[in-house]
Amino acid sequence: MNERGLKGLESRMRLLEAAAAEFARNGFHETKISTIVKKVGLTQPSFYIYFSSKEAIFEELISEFHSNLKKLIESKRLEDNLEHMDLSNRLAEIVENVFLFLKKDPNLTRIGFSLNPKADDLIADLTIILKNNLTTEQQFGYFRPEIDMEIVAKCISAVILHLSFIYVIPGIKDTKSLSLQLVDLFLQGMLNEND
Amino acid sequence: MNERGLKGLESRMRLLEAAAAEFARNGFHETKISTIVKKVGLTQPSFYIYFSSKEAIFEELISEFHSNLKKLIESKRLEDNLEHMDLSNRLAEIVENVFLFLKKDPNLTRIGFSLNPKADDLIADLTIILKNNLTTEQQFGYFRPEIDMEIVAKCISAVILHLSFIYVIPGIKDTKSLSLQLVDLFLQGMLNEND
Amino acid sequence: MNERGLKGLESRMRLLEAAAAEFARNGFHETKISTIVKKVGLTQPSFYIYFSSKEAIFEELISEFHSNLKKLIESKRLEDNLEHMDLSNRLAEIVENVFLFLKKDPNLTRIGFSLNPKADDLIADLTIILKNNLTTEQQFGYFRPEIDMEIVAKCISAVILHLSFIYVIPGIKDTKSLSLQLVDLFLQGMLNEND
Amino acid sequence: MNERGLKGLESRMRLLEAAAAEFARNGFHETKISTIVKKVGLTQPSFYIYFSSKEAIFEELISEFHSNLKKLIESKRLEDNLEHMDLSNRLAEIVENVFLFLKKDPNLTRIGFSLNPKADDLIADLTIILKNNLTTEQQFGYFRPEIDMEIVAKCISAVILHLSFIYVIPGIKDTKSLSLQLVDLFLQGMLNEND
DNA sequence: TATGAATGAGCATTCATTCAT
DNA sequence: TATGAATGAATGCTCATTCAT
């Protein structure tokens, strides 16, 4: 009775896409529903067939992005494959996966990490998973025991996010080599050993 | 008409403070002039005696913050005192100085690095100075020659900012030890040398 | 196209019922077609198969109610049976009949006498019939000749309606005894004759 | 600081008046703020300087009307002057006072007794006061003891209201003689004593 | 230096209604 | 007989800003 047909589903999808683009470019408040529907070729009331409010569509975009990202991170637990690759490569692969995910939909990435209250929570979540992984490795003796892995996790999160915005999403740097360089930096440090 | 009496100057100051607090808490668009003036005990027209528009007061807050921060960074060029301290400590001191600056006025820090277009420029500026410093050191042989100092500079910028927001401004961690840990991480890396 | 099948007729009926309930509870403007059709399990376009507009269904409800009520009143002309009962009982019976009619469908009663322009006309119609009856009786010498029967008729109309809403429809008072009390009040007055 | 000057107070007053006229003519939902302000020669935002919402101005009109009417009724307690006039005249005077009050501002009267939820409460309040008065008289032996004064009070309320709308407010009947006729009807009844 | 009063421009949202199927 | 999809036309309300004083 309230079933959505194919055409309706497509309109909904196109609204979501258009909204993502607008929110990403202008933020929540400067984004107008009139603009979104115009892009899609609909009128304002149609918007409210599919979404109950401006907040609702924003929320929907964010929460799906967040849950997908969390899923990705959680699936990448280090313990699963501690053996079958050397440490650097395993880490680099994880980092690259995150880069690729964030690059896939730049609009969502921008919205998901914009000044919306839940962005901080998301970063915190990601950081926790990262920290757990790193702590495990540390207990295996791979990392210096005196390092506070909480801080490291927070550093890495910040770095991945920032580099995503300035290098990965704009396509300025290759994700593979960037990941390797990052891992190398964090693993080896900058110091010249010869000194 | 442009002669500022004492009372006027004070009203202006209080408006700036109130605006900083509001912008920091709610962002640009959700901040209402009516709220700002109410906090200060003035009426809306009074606002326009001192600032030509909402954008103007925002701009004024940001640009002073930005220029102060730039001044700080530029004053901390490494070359100036390459000798009189060992590398780690010199770096840590610089980092701590930035931490302390950002902690001094959390509202401004939040505004200055919010999603306002100039935040990216500011970060870029800071990163350039940092990169120049690091490159100099690298040429002196302190750092591994194969490292891309541009990337490193960007990592460090991101890390300093992020840790400022989650650790320094809330007062959760001591700036001195945090700076030292950061420098240690970036200089030595995480790897356990014994391996 | 105008052949009504069984199912269609039933849908129409159920829409009328649902509409009556909604109009009674919320009035015309606060009643939404979307609510009506939802209650019936239909969609909005289906509504327009049976009724040309929101006004149309409202009008249909009202006018049937009005014509039924008029029919009732007109059928109760006093002259028809001036003899076969004493005056009080004849009057009380008429009053009770109206009470029972109004109680039968509270929703319709509420709608029919709500602030819709025709409510006043209806009351005026009822009042005229009442007045004619009373005048007849007056000419027969039953009532004091100096009384203005127009005013009395209007009083009685108002009283019947009001008591319907507060006593009869809620079922708080028995219609028979209430009718008798009313008739007694209007016939004998309140004064204590012993004084 | 938020003080209203003379001009502001006048604008507020004129908005109240215009709103009363509109609400009375069209009811709550069909009354548009745009119409109200146009009548007063203001723009829509000005409306919100003085009233927080459409509901608020409606509420203000109603509640002032209600409280004034209650004040009037309460001031007219019979006990105060049981002796100094004969019963009929005292009662008629009270009724006439209510007529005059309701006639004074027909718009408010219409709004105050329209389909707004509190109208019923108001009528109930008035009825209670009336009933108390009547019961007192009854205990003094003026009225027949078998009469249920609750019902009488409700009848009188309904009658006064209805006659106000159809006779008093339109100016069709003189309030003084109408009051007397009403009192006579309720006191003496309609029956011809000679029978 | 400050304010009471007012406004232009805009935006989210609602609802009865229609059209193609 | 019914529905999925869409819309025209409003409307309440907000906010930065101005003007006269």
Side-chain angles (χ1 to χ4, degrees), chain D residues 110-161:
Chain D
R110 227 174 308 267
I111 298 172
F113 289 111
S114 285
L115 270 191
N116 81 73
K118 292 179 186 158
D120 288 347
D121 294 350
L122 176 60
I123 300 181
D125 280 357
L126 305 189
T127 306
I128 287 174
I129 296 172
L130 197 53
K131 178 191 164 190
N132 290 339
N133 277 330
L134 294 172
T135 306
T136 303
E137 311 266 343
Q138 190 178 36
Q139 285 158 354
F140 278 112
Y142 290 115
F143 300 142
R144 289 193 278 146
E146 71 270 23
I147 294 184
D148 179 344
M149 283 306 174
E150 171 129 5
I151 293 182
V152 175
K154 286 187 163 145
C155 291
I156 295 178
S157 301
V159 163
I160 289 180
L161 255 186

Side-chain angles (χ1 to χ4, degrees), chain A residues 45-111:
Chain A
S46 300
F47 177 90
Y48 293 91
I49 295 173
Y50 301 107
F51 306 97
S52 62
S53 70
K54 188 179 166 186
E55 272 82 9
I57 194 175
F58 188 72
E59 175 65 28
E60 179 165 335
L61 288 168
I62 286 181
S63 67
E64 210 207 319
F65 173 76
H66 282 194
S67 86
N68 283 340
L69 180 50
K70 271 196 205 166
K71 247 180 264 164
L72 171 75
I73 307 278
E74 274 162 0
S75 76
K76 291 299 172 184
R77 304 187 159 283
L78 273 181
E79 312 104 61
D80 298 347
N81 50 4
L82 260 179
E83 310 297 335
H84 86 283
M85 256 197 267
D86 73 291
L87 187 61
S88 296
N89 283 335
R90 278 187 285 124
L91 289 170
E93 195 197 276
I94 295 177
V95 170
E96 195 188 359
N97 271 303
V98 176
F99 278 152
L100 291 174
F101 177 91
L102 297 180
K103 182 180 188 166
K104 207 175 49 195
D105 197 329
N107 287 336
L108 285 185
T109 300
R110 228 174 309 265
I111 298 171

Side-chain angles (χ1 to χ4, degrees), chain A residues 162-163 166-167, chain B residues 73 120-135 149-158:
Chain A
H162 189 228
L163 297 190
I166 61 177
Y167 283 147
Chain B
I73 307 277
D120 287 348
D121 295 349
L122 175 60
I123 301 182
D125 280 358
L126 305 189
T127 307
I128 287 174
I129 298 172
L130 195 54
K131 177 190 165 190
N132 289 341
N133 277 331
L134 293 171
T135 307
M149 281 309 175
E150 171 129 5
I151 292 181
V152 175
K154 288 187 160 143
C155 291
I156 294 177
S157 302

Side-chain angles (χ1 to χ4, degrees), chain C residues 66-81 94 97-98 122 124-130 132-133:
Chain C
H66 282 194
S67 85
N68 284 340
L69 181 50
K70 271 195 206 166
K71 246 178 264 166
L72 170 74
I73 307 278
E74 275 162 359
S75 77
K76 291 298 171 183
R77 301 188 161 283
L78 274 180
E79 311 105 62
D80 298 348
N81 50 3
I94 295 179
N97 272 304
V98 176
L122 176 60
D125 281 358
L126 305 188
T127 306
I128 287 175
I129 297 172
L130 196 53
N132 290 341
N133 277 331

